[in-house]
């Protein structure tokens, strides 16, 4: 499930999602997603989103609302979150950690050694730093399980 619309505020080289000015956030979306999961009897849901740099919190509130709504409507569904970097804002990342999805993941465009030496590479280097911050915060909050996935042990 992709939340927060289908227009991203960034233009990542690896992604085919449309870039531009997204529509306003839909605060009824969390309930709609949770209801869809219930109706389809989904046992394990993967939630992802576009980057929403236009929103003050990067969409973290809707992320947390979505996870909580799924928990309320379909409590046995496990959740895997493929989150944006939230520009490494610790408060926004913490909102996701606090609702305790079973798995927290974050995509990167490429590995550091394959990053081109160009103006674009500075953006990629920043993404590596942001991803490192996300990984550290998730690990510190004991959602980490092994080198490939981060799980909630609570």
């Amino acid at each position: 499930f992709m939340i927060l619309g289908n227009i991203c505020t960034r233009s990542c080289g690896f992604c085919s999602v449309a870039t531009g000015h997204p529509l306003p956030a839909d605060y009824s979306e969390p309930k709609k997603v949770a209801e869809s999961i219930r109706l389809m009897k989904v046992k394990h849901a993967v939630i992802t989103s576009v980057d929403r740099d236009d929103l003050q919190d990067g969409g973290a509130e809707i992320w947390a609302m979505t996870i909580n709504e799924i928990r309320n409507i379909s409590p046995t569904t496990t959740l895997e979150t493929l989150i944006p970097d939230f520009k490494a804002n610790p408060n926004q990342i913490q909102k996701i950690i606090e609702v305790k999805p079973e798995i927290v993941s974050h995509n990167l465009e490429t590995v550091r050694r394959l990053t081109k030496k160009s103006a674009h590479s500075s953006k990629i280097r920043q993404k590596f730093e942001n991803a490192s911050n996300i990984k550290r915060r998730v690990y510190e909050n004991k959602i980490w399980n092994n080198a490939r996935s981060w799980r909630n042990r609570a």
Side-chain angles (χ1 to χ4, degrees):
F1 295 87
M2 188 161 83
I3 62 173
L4 292 164
N6 61 357
I7 300 172
C8 187
T9 56
R10 298 189 194 170
S11 182
C12 301
F14 67 94
C15 188
S16 63
V17 172
T19 301
H21 300 288
L23 297 172
D26 177 3
Y27 285 86
S28 67
E29 183 177 40
K31 189 161 191 71
K32 292 175 187 176
V33 170
E35 191 59 30
S36 295
I37 286 171
R38 184 190 66 76
L39 288 171
M40 292 188 292
K41 299 178 181 166
V42 174
K43 293 180 181 181
H44 180 80
V46 179
I47 312 294
T48 190
S49 76
V50 293
D51 283 301
R52 291 297 303 257
D53 296 333
D54 61 312
L55 300 176
Q56 188 173 4
D57 72 347
E61 180 181 0
I62 288 187
W63 265 98
M65 289 170 60
T66 302
I67 294 165
N68 283 331
E69 201 59 49
I70 294 166
R71 293 265 190 254
N72 290 336
I73 291 176
S74 188
T76 60
T77 299
T78 56
L79 297 173
E80 181 172 348
T81 57
L82 183 54
I83 64 172
D85 66 10
F86 295 111
K87 293 186 174 179
N89 181 306
N91 296 325
Q92 294 168 8
I93 296 165
Q94 190 62 33
K95 283 184 183 180
I96 308 304
I97 291 168
E98 287 173 358
V99 293
K100 300 182 179 185
E102 281 76 16
I103 301 170
V104 176
S105 302
H106 175 69
N107 276 349
L108 287 175
E109 196 166 330
T110 186
V111 294
R112 192 180 308 264
R113 70 178 174 80
L114 297 177
T115 303
K116 294 178 185 174
K117 303 292 182 203
S118 67
H120 180 66
S121 69
S122 65
K123 287 168 62 175
I124 294 173
R125 282 193 298 276
Q126 183 60 49
K127 289 179 185 181
F128 280 113
E129 294 303 317
N130 292 350
S132 292
N133 288 333
I134 290 169
K135 180 179 176 180
R136 188 187 80 256
R137 291 196 57 83
V138 168
Y139 182 77
E140 287 169 354
N141 284 274
K142 297 181 177 30
I143 296 178
W144 181 264
N145 185 25
N146 61 42
R148 296 196 177 142
S149 66
W150 303 328
R151 297 182 186 271
N152 173 14
R153 294 186 195 173

